[in-house]
Amino acid sequence: MSFIDHLEELRWHLIRALAAILVFSIAAFVMKDFVFGTVIFGPAKPDFWTFKMLCKISDLINSKALCIESVPFKIQSRQMTGQFTMHITTSVITGLIVTFPYVFWEFWRFIKPGLYTTERQNTRGAVFFVTLLFAMGVLFGYYILAPLSVNFLANYTVSDIVFNEFDITSYVGTLTTLVLGSGILFQLPIVVYVLSKIGLITPELMKVYRKHAIVVILIMGAILTPPDPLSQILISLPLFGLYEASILISRYVARKQRKNELMTQKDNY
Protein backbone atom coordinates (compact mmCIF):
# COMPACT_ATOMS: atom_id res chain seq x y z
CA MET A 1 0.00 0.00 0.00
CA SER A 2 1.11 3.54 -0.70
CA PHE A 3 1.45 6.21 1.99
CA ILE A 4 -1.88 7.74 0.97
CA ASP A 5 -3.56 4.33 1.16
CA HIS A 6 -2.19 3.86 4.66
CA LEU A 7 -3.60 7.24 5.68
CA GLU A 8 -6.95 6.29 4.21
CA GLU A 9 -6.94 3.02 6.13
CA LEU A 10 -6.01 4.84 9.34
CA ARG A 11 -8.78 7.36 8.76
CA TRP A 12 -11.45 4.66 8.67
CA HIS A 13 -10.09 3.03 11.82
CA LEU A 14 -10.25 6.43 13.54
CA ILE A 15 -13.78 7.05 12.27
CA ARG A 16 -15.03 3.71 13.59
CA ALA A 17 -13.31 4.26 16.95
CA LEU A 18 -14.71 7.79 17.31
CA ALA A 19 -18.16 6.59 16.25
CA ALA A 20 -18.14 3.97 19.01
CA ILE A 21 -17.07 6.58 21.57
CA LEU A 22 -19.78 8.93 20.35
CA VAL A 23 -22.52 6.29 20.61
CA PHE A 24 -21.63 5.34 24.16
CA SER A 25 -21.09 8.99 25.12
CA ILE A 26 -24.63 9.77 23.99
CA ALA A 27 -25.91 6.77 25.94
CA ALA A 28 -24.07 8.01 29.05
CA PHE A 29 -25.46 11.52 28.51
CA VAL A 30 -29.02 10.16 28.37
CA MET A 31 -28.47 7.95 31.44
CA LYS A 32 -27.63 10.98 33.58
CA ASP A 33 -29.23 9.71 36.78
CA PHE A 34 -27.31 6.44 36.74
CA VAL A 35 -23.96 7.88 35.61
CA PHE A 36 -23.91 10.68 38.16
CA GLY A 37 -26.13 9.37 40.94
CA THR A 38 -24.64 5.88 41.07
CA VAL A 39 -21.22 5.92 39.37
CA ILE A 40 -19.73 9.40 39.70
CA PHE A 41 -21.02 10.28 43.16
CA GLY A 42 -20.85 6.69 44.44
CA PRO A 43 -17.39 7.07 46.10
CA ALA A 44 -18.72 10.14 47.93
CA LYS A 45 -21.47 8.19 49.70
CA PRO A 46 -20.97 6.28 52.98
CA ASP A 47 -22.93 3.30 51.58
CA PHE A 48 -20.37 2.78 48.78
CA TRP A 49 -19.13 -0.81 48.40
CA THR A 50 -15.59 -0.01 49.56
CA PHE A 51 -16.79 1.73 52.71
CA LYS A 52 -19.09 -1.20 53.49
CA MET A 53 -16.18 -3.62 53.18
CA LEU A 54 -14.02 -1.48 55.44
CA CYS A 55 -16.78 -1.48 58.05
CA LYS A 56 -17.00 -5.27 57.83
CA ILE A 57 -13.24 -5.53 58.33
CA SER A 58 -13.57 -3.20 61.32
CA ASP A 59 -16.18 -5.51 62.83
CA LEU A 60 -13.90 -8.51 62.35
CA ILE A 61 -10.99 -6.87 64.16
CA ASN A 62 -13.27 -5.25 66.76
CA SER A 63 -12.18 -1.74 65.85
CA LYS A 64 -14.01 1.21 64.33
CA ALA A 65 -10.85 2.77 62.95
CA LEU A 66 -11.52 1.64 59.38
CA CYS A 67 -15.28 2.12 59.32
CA ILE A 68 -16.29 5.25 57.40
CA GLU A 69 -19.80 6.29 58.32
CA SER A 70 -19.89 9.72 56.68
CA VAL A 71 -18.06 11.70 54.01
CA PRO A 72 -18.43 15.31 55.21
CA PHE A 73 -18.36 17.59 52.18
CA LYS A 74 -20.70 19.24 49.71
CA ILE A 75 -20.47 19.45 45.93
CA GLN A 76 -21.55 22.64 44.22
CA SER A 77 -21.29 24.38 40.86
CA ARG A 78 -19.94 27.94 40.89
CA GLN A 79 -20.32 28.57 37.17
CA MET A 80 -23.55 28.97 35.24
CA THR A 81 -22.51 26.41 32.62
CA GLY A 82 -20.61 24.23 35.10
CA GLN A 83 -23.09 21.37 35.42
CA PHE A 84 -23.91 21.22 31.70
CA THR A 85 -20.24 21.32 30.70
CA MET A 86 -19.35 18.65 33.24
CA HIS A 87 -22.28 16.53 32.05
CA ILE A 88 -20.86 16.53 28.51
CA THR A 89 -17.26 15.95 29.66
CA THR A 90 -18.23 13.10 31.95
CA SER A 91 -20.28 11.47 29.19
CA VAL A 92 -17.32 11.56 26.80
CA ILE A 93 -14.95 10.11 29.42
CA THR A 94 -17.48 7.38 30.23
CA GLY A 95 -17.79 6.56 26.54
CA LEU A 96 -14.00 6.39 26.22
CA ILE A 97 -13.63 4.03 29.19
CA VAL A 98 -16.42 1.71 28.03
CA THR A 99 -15.19 1.55 24.43
CA PHE A 100 -11.48 1.32 25.26
CA PRO A 101 -11.22 -2.37 24.23
CA TYR A 102 -12.82 -1.65 20.85
CA VAL A 103 -10.74 1.50 20.28
CA PHE A 104 -7.52 -0.37 21.02
CA TRP A 105 -8.65 -3.22 18.76
CA GLU A 106 -9.17 -0.77 15.89
CA PHE A 107 -5.67 0.64 16.30
CA TRP A 108 -4.26 -2.88 16.60
CA ARG A 109 -5.98 -3.87 13.34
CA PHE A 110 -4.12 -1.00 11.66
CA ILE A 111 -0.73 -1.87 13.19
CA LYS A 112 -0.84 -5.67 12.97
CA PRO A 113 -0.54 -6.05 9.14
CA GLY A 114 2.81 -4.19 9.29
CA LEU A 115 4.38 -6.67 11.70
CA TYR A 116 6.61 -9.57 10.78
CA THR A 117 5.38 -13.11 11.36
CA THR A 118 7.52 -13.55 14.48
CA GLU A 119 6.30 -10.19 15.82
CA ARG A 120 2.69 -11.24 15.33
CA GLN A 121 3.36 -14.44 17.24
CA ASN A 122 5.07 -12.56 20.08
CA THR A 123 2.18 -10.11 20.39
CA ARG A 124 -0.58 -12.70 20.21
CA GLY A 125 -3.31 -11.85 22.70
CA ALA A 126 -2.21 -8.20 22.96
CA VAL A 127 -5.78 -6.87 22.78
CA PHE A 128 -6.96 -9.27 25.48
CA PHE A 129 -4.14 -8.51 27.94
CA VAL A 130 -4.24 -4.74 27.38
CA THR A 131 -8.01 -4.76 27.91
CA LEU A 132 -7.74 -6.99 30.98
CA LEU A 133 -5.08 -4.82 32.61
CA PHE A 134 -6.97 -1.63 31.78
CA ALA A 135 -10.17 -3.03 33.32
CA MET A 136 -8.28 -4.12 36.43
CA GLY A 137 -6.73 -0.67 36.72
CA VAL A 138 -10.05 1.12 36.30
CA LEU A 139 -11.71 -1.07 38.93
CA PHE A 140 -8.76 -0.60 41.27
CA GLY A 141 -8.90 3.17 40.81
CA TYR A 142 -12.65 3.34 41.24
CA TYR A 143 -13.08 1.00 44.20
CA ILE A 144 -9.80 1.62 46.05
CA LEU A 145 -8.03 4.84 45.10
CA ALA A 146 -11.07 7.04 44.51
CA PRO A 147 -13.08 6.39 47.70
CA LEU A 148 -10.01 6.49 49.97
CA SER A 149 -8.77 9.70 48.37
CA VAL A 150 -12.22 11.31 48.50
CA ASN A 151 -12.58 10.39 52.15
CA PHE A 152 -9.12 11.75 53.01
CA LEU A 153 -9.63 15.04 51.17
CA ALA A 154 -13.15 15.45 52.57
CA ASN A 155 -11.93 15.05 56.14
CA TYR A 156 -8.73 17.06 55.79
CA THR A 157 -9.00 20.60 57.17
CA VAL A 158 -6.49 23.23 58.21
CA SER A 159 -8.96 24.79 60.63
CA ASP A 160 -12.37 24.04 62.13
CA ILE A 161 -13.79 27.23 60.63
CA VAL A 162 -13.07 26.04 57.07
CA PHE A 163 -15.70 23.81 55.50
CA ASN A 164 -15.10 21.58 52.49
CA GLU A 165 -17.38 22.53 49.62
CA PHE A 166 -15.88 21.21 46.40
CA ASP A 167 -16.73 22.40 42.93
CA ILE A 168 -18.19 19.71 40.68
CA THR A 169 -15.37 20.29 38.19
CA SER A 170 -12.75 19.60 40.86
CA TYR A 171 -14.51 16.49 42.16
CA VAL A 172 -15.12 14.89 38.76
CA GLY A 173 -11.63 15.86 37.58
CA THR A 174 -10.03 14.19 40.58
CA LEU A 175 -12.15 11.07 40.19
CA THR A 176 -11.48 10.65 36.46
CA THR A 177 -7.75 11.30 36.96
CA LEU A 178 -7.52 8.54 39.58
CA VAL A 179 -9.55 6.06 37.54
CA LEU A 180 -7.94 6.68 34.14
CA GLY A 181 -4.51 7.03 35.75
CA SER A 182 -4.90 3.61 37.35
CA GLY A 183 -6.00 2.11 34.05
CA ILE A 184 -2.87 3.46 32.39
CA LEU A 185 -0.63 2.54 35.34
CA PHE A 186 -1.74 -1.08 35.13
CA GLN A 187 -0.28 -1.27 31.63
CA LEU A 188 3.19 -1.55 33.23
CA PRO A 189 3.55 -5.29 32.46
CA ILE A 190 2.78 -4.64 28.78
CA VAL A 191 5.31 -1.80 28.64
CA VAL A 192 7.96 -3.97 30.33
CA TYR A 193 7.24 -6.81 27.90
CA VAL A 194 7.77 -4.53 24.88
CA LEU A 195 10.90 -2.90 26.33
CA SER A 196 12.30 -6.32 27.21
CA LYS A 197 11.71 -7.54 23.67
CA ILE A 198 13.76 -4.68 22.24
CA GLY A 199 16.47 -5.06 24.88
CA LEU A 200 16.06 -1.83 26.85
CA ILE A 201 15.05 -3.57 30.09
CA THR A 202 16.38 -6.74 31.71
CA PRO A 203 15.17 -8.59 34.81
CA GLU A 204 18.54 -7.98 36.43
CA LEU A 205 18.14 -4.22 35.97
CA MET A 206 14.65 -4.28 37.49
CA LYS A 207 15.94 -6.28 40.47
CA VAL A 208 18.71 -3.77 41.07
CA TYR A 209 16.17 -0.91 41.20
CA ARG A 210 13.59 -2.86 43.23
CA LYS A 211 14.36 -0.89 46.40
CA HIS A 212 13.90 2.36 44.54
CA ALA A 213 10.57 1.08 43.20
CA ILE A 214 9.40 0.20 46.73
CA VAL A 215 10.17 3.73 47.93
CA VAL A 216 8.28 5.28 45.01
CA ILE A 217 5.30 2.98 45.58
CA LEU A 218 5.16 3.82 49.30
CA ILE A 219 5.34 7.54 48.54
CA MET A 220 2.47 7.18 46.09
CA GLY A 221 0.50 5.24 48.68
CA ALA A 222 1.12 7.97 51.28
CA ILE A 223 -0.01 10.69 48.87
CA LEU A 224 -3.12 8.98 47.52
CA THR A 225 -4.50 7.49 50.73
CA PRO A 226 -5.51 8.65 54.21
CA PRO A 227 -2.57 8.80 56.65
CA ASP A 228 -2.98 5.33 58.14
CA PRO A 229 -0.78 2.26 57.52
CA LEU A 230 -3.53 -0.12 56.40
CA SER A 231 -4.77 2.18 53.64
CA GLN A 232 -1.22 2.67 52.37
CA ILE A 233 -0.70 -1.10 52.32
CA LEU A 234 -3.94 -1.59 50.38
CA ILE A 235 -2.65 0.81 47.74
CA SER A 236 1.00 -0.23 47.71
CA LEU A 237 0.59 -4.01 47.46
CA PRO A 238 -1.11 -4.06 44.02
CA LEU A 239 1.44 -1.61 42.63
CA PHE A 240 4.35 -3.62 43.99
CA GLY A 241 2.68 -6.77 42.68
CA LEU A 242 2.65 -5.23 39.21
CA TYR A 243 6.36 -4.49 39.49
CA GLU A 244 7.13 -8.05 40.55
CA ALA A 245 4.96 -9.41 37.76
CA SER A 246 6.86 -7.21 35.33
CA ILE A 247 10.15 -8.74 36.52
CA LEU A 248 8.78 -12.22 35.80
CA ILE A 249 7.63 -11.08 32.37
CA SER A 250 11.04 -9.59 31.60
CA ARG A 251 12.71 -12.82 32.79
CA TYR A 252 10.43 -14.88 30.53
CA VAL A 253 11.27 -12.70 27.54
CA ALA A 254 15.01 -12.91 28.27
CA ARG A 255 14.92 -16.71 28.55
CA LYS A 256 12.96 -17.03 25.34
CA GLN A 257 15.40 -14.78 23.51
CA ARG A 258 18.40 -16.76 24.78
CA LYS A 259 16.73 -19.99 23.71
CA ASN A 260 16.11 -18.62 20.22
CA GLU A 261 19.73 -17.45 19.99
CA LEU A 262 21.02 -20.91 20.96
CA MET A 263 18.76 -22.56 18.38
CA THR A 264 19.98 -20.11 15.73
CA GLN A 265 23.62 -20.88 16.59
CA LYS A 266 22.99 -24.64 16.36
CA ASP A 267 21.34 -24.20 12.97
CA ASN A 268 24.33 -22.20 11.73
CA TYR A 269 26.75 -24.96 12.82
Side-chain angles (χ1 to χ4, degrees):
M1 295 175 62
S2 65
F3 180 73
I4 299 299
D5 291 333
H6 279 295
L7 289 180
E8 179 67 15
E9 185 70 17
L10 177 61
R11 184 173 74 92
W12 281 107
H13 286 294
L14 290 173
I15 289 175
R16 287 191 289 268
L18 292 175
I21 295 174
L22 179 62
V23 169
F24 281 91
S25 297
I26 293 174
F29 187 88
V30 174
M31 301 170 62
K32 177 180 65 175
D33 294 337
F34 173 76
V35 172
F36 278 91
T38 303
V39 179
I40 300 298
F41 295 136
K45 299 177 180 179
D47 60 348
F48 189 62
W49 181 85
T50 304
F51 298 146
K52 288 182 178 180
M53 294 300 104
L54 289 175
C55 286
K56 289 183 178 180
I57 294 175
S58 295
D59 293 337
L60 291 176
I61 62 176
N62 294 322
S63 173
K64 292 295 183 180
L66 297 178
C67 189
I68 299 172
E69 299 178 349
S70 64
V71 186
F73 74 96
K74 294 182 179 180
I75 299 176
Q76 56 182 308
S77 178
R78 295 185 176 88
Q79 299 179 358
M80 185 173 293
T81 59
Q83 294 193 56
F84 180 71
T85 303
M86 189 50 55
H87 188 188
I88 295 176
T89 303
T90 303
S91 299
V92 173
I93 294 175
T94 303
L96 177 61
I97 293 176
V98 173
T99 60
F100 176 82
Y102 177 77
V103 171
F104 181 79
W105 181 67
E106 283 289 347
F107 279 101
W108 184 247
R109 286 178 60 197
F110 174 75
I111 297 172
K112 189 175 180 179
L115 301 178
Y116 292 106
T117 303
T118 55
E119 292 173 337
R120 293 185 186 182
Q121 294 176 351
N122 292 330
T123 56
R124 187 176 301 170
V127 176
F128 171 77
F129 288 108
V130 168
T131 302
L132 177 63
L133 290 172
F134 181 78
M136 291 172 60
V138 167
L139 293 175
F140 175 74
Y142 182 72
Y143 285 104
I144 302 297
L145 283 182
L148 294 180
S149 299
V150 167
N151 176 67
F152 169 68
L153 295 174
N155 285 280
Y156 185 84
T157 58
V158 294
S159 175
D160 294 337
I161 65 174
V162 181
F163 299 95
N164 285 327
E165 296 182 354
F166 304 137
D167 189 82
I168 186 173
T169 304
S170 176
Y171 173 81
V172 176
T174 301
L175 181 66
T176 54
T177 299
L178 290 172
V179 173
L180 287 177
S182 297
I184 295 173
L185 182 65
F186 270 57
Q187 301 301 315
L188 177 62
I190 300 295
V191 175
V192 170
Y193 177 81
V194 174
L195 294 179
S196 298
K197 290 294 294 183
I198 61 180
L200 293 179
I201 286 181
T202 62
E204 291 76 17
L205 180 65
M206 296 188 69
K207 288 180 180 179
V208 169
Y209 287 97
R210 179 187 276 128
K211 294 181 180 180
H212 301 79
I214 294 175
V215 173
V216 172
I217 289 172
L218 291 175
I219 292 174
M220 292 179 62
I223 294 174
L224 297 175
T225 64
D228 62 89
L230 181 58
S231 297
Q232 294 181 17
I233 292 173
L234 290 174
I235 299 300
S236 300
L237 282 180
L239 297 180
F240 184 67
L242 281 175
Y243 190 84
E244 291 297 319
S246 299
I247 294 178
L248 295 178
I249 292 173
S250 181
R251 183 183 302 168
Y252 167 77
V253 172
R255 287 178 179 176
K256 191 172 183 181
Q257 288 179 338
R258 285 195 294 267
K259 183 178 179 181
N260 292 335
E261 291 175 358
L262 291 175
M263 292 179 64
T264 303
Q265 292 177 358
K266 289 181 179 180
D267 292 339
N268 291 335
Y269 286 119

